[in-house]
Amino acid sequence: MAFVRASIREPRVPARRLRLQMLGLSVLLASVTLLSACAQPDATPPAPSSAATPSRTPTETAAPETTAPETPIAVPSAPAPAAPDFDKKRYSIDDPSSIWVVSNKARALSPADFAPADLTLPVGIPNGNSQPLREPAARALERMDADAASAGIKLSVTSAYRSYSTQVSLYNNYVARDGKDAADTYSARPGHSEHQTGLAVDLDDSGGCSLEACFANTPAGIWLAANAPRYGFVLRYPDGKSSITGFTFEPWHFRYVGPELATEMQNTGVRTLEEFFGLPAAPDYI
């Protein structure tokens, strides 16, 4: 019996050996687990570094940055400078040597026998009576004649400067022919004539309307009415203004006043010197 119990007794494993076996098993299990983890990819890839620039496909377009529009700042503009008023006192309207002198039935020249000191003949324009003009008027007439010729207009001088004595003779002849009342409508008395200033010129184009109202409808009359102010001449006795100027319509009679005044009158639509300078109408002699 003793022999039998001894033969079926379980063998004993030393404790140290058992512990080593258990440790080895643990290491083996850990290794298997690690290998399994490495073999299966992680479902969530690591986030890219913020410093990396993502690549785009050729059709990918980066969304534009949206910024709030800047509100423009209103800057007040400086007002445009006002055009200076025309200086109506730049030249005298009383001095007979002034290019702005106004002579009419109520305004006699002083002295009555005034004679300009700078008379000269205009060059290059037919002048049947060889009458001169004051130097600035003569030079301006030459320029105007040259430009008129370029436009196909051929001008000639019918009358220009007339002295006091010449005006005496001319006016007396008109009175003898037509009577005093009629003569006063178209011829100035001595000492009142614009021709005596050397600044007035009567023009013609040899078209059959010399010193006639029909000159206004000739090519020369039309061209002069439109262009004479550019050269400093104004149509001194306009149509419909005889109650102011004292003389009938004379579309051939042009008076030199200089480009500044002539252009100002054209731009403002003021047709007579009396109206422009605020002078009384002069329909009759005082």
Side-chain angles (χ1 to χ4, degrees):
M1 290 295 291
F3 174 79
V4 173
R5 285 195 303 270
S7 59
I8 62 176
R9 184 182 298 170
E10 295 179 359
R12 294 184 178 180
V13 179
R16 178 172 179 166
R17 184 177 178 182
L18 180 60
R19 285 196 301 271
L20 289 177
Q21 290 177 348
M22 294 298 292
L23 179 60
L25 181 60
S26 298
V27 171
L28 179 60
L29 290 174
S31 298
V32 171
T33 302
L34 180 60
L35 289 176
S36 299
C38 293
Q40 297 179 1
D42 193 350
T44 304
S49 172
S50 60
T53 301
S55 60
R56 298 188 178 95
T57 61
T59 58
E60 184 180 1
T61 303
E65 296 182 0
T66 58
T67 57
E70 296 184 0
T71 302
I73 300 176
V75 179
S77 58
D85 293 334
F86 187 85
D87 184 6
K88 294 185 177 183
K89 297 184 180 299
R90 181 178 179 183
Y91 298 110
S92 171
I93 61 173
D94 303 314
D95 184 352
S97 65
S98 168
I99 63 171
W100 285 5
V101 63
V102 179
S103 174
N104 56 31
K105 292 179 177 180
R107 295 173 58 86
L109 297 175
S110 180
D113 61 351
F114 167 78
D118 58 347
L119 293 172
T120 182
L121 279 173
V123 177
I125 178 172
N127 189 339
N129 295 316
S130 298
Q131 292 179 336
L133 288 170
R134 286 191 56 187
E135 196 275 336
R139 302 291 84 82
L141 178 59
E142 291 166 358
R143 293 190 294 272
M144 185 166 69
D145 175 62
D147 289 347
S150 298
I153 307 296
K154 295 182 179 180
L155 299 176
S156 61
V157 175
T158 300
S159 183
Y161 169 72
R162 297 198 296 258
S163 67
Y164 178 86
S165 60
T166 298
Q167 194 66 24
V168 169
S169 175
L170 189 64
Y171 177 76
N172 288 340
N173 288 337
Y174 290 145
V175 171
R177 186 187 71 184
D178 300 323
K180 191 177 185 64
D181 290 343
D184 282 343
T185 64
Y186 61 83
S187 179
R189 293 178 184 180
H192 293 263
S193 174
E194 284 206 326
H195 285 281
Q196 191 178 326
T197 68
L199 298 170
V201 60
D202 295 338
L203 297 170
D204 188 33
D205 65 349
S206 302
C209 285
S210 179
L211 304 180
E212 298 288 342
C214 62
F215 181 75
N217 299 319
T218 65
I222 295 171
W223 189 91
L224 286 168
N227 295 283
R230 295 168 49 200
Y231 308 91
F233 291 92
V234 296
L235 181 61
R236 182 65 179 95
Y237 304 123
D239 191 17
K241 294 292 185 178
S242 60
S243 62
I244 295 174
T245 65
F247 294 98
T248 56
F249 179 37
E250 295 187 1
W252 61 85
H253 181 109
F254 287 87
R255 160 66 192 278
Y256 182 78
V257 295
E260 295 83 7
L261 176 54
T263 301
E264 181 71 9
M265 290 179 66
Q266 184 181 49
N267 291 342
T268 57
V270 180
R271 301 172 63 196
T272 69
L273 293 176
E274 287 82 4
E275 291 172 299
F276 186 84
F277 288 110
L279 297 172
D284 301 303
Y285 288 100
I286 298 175

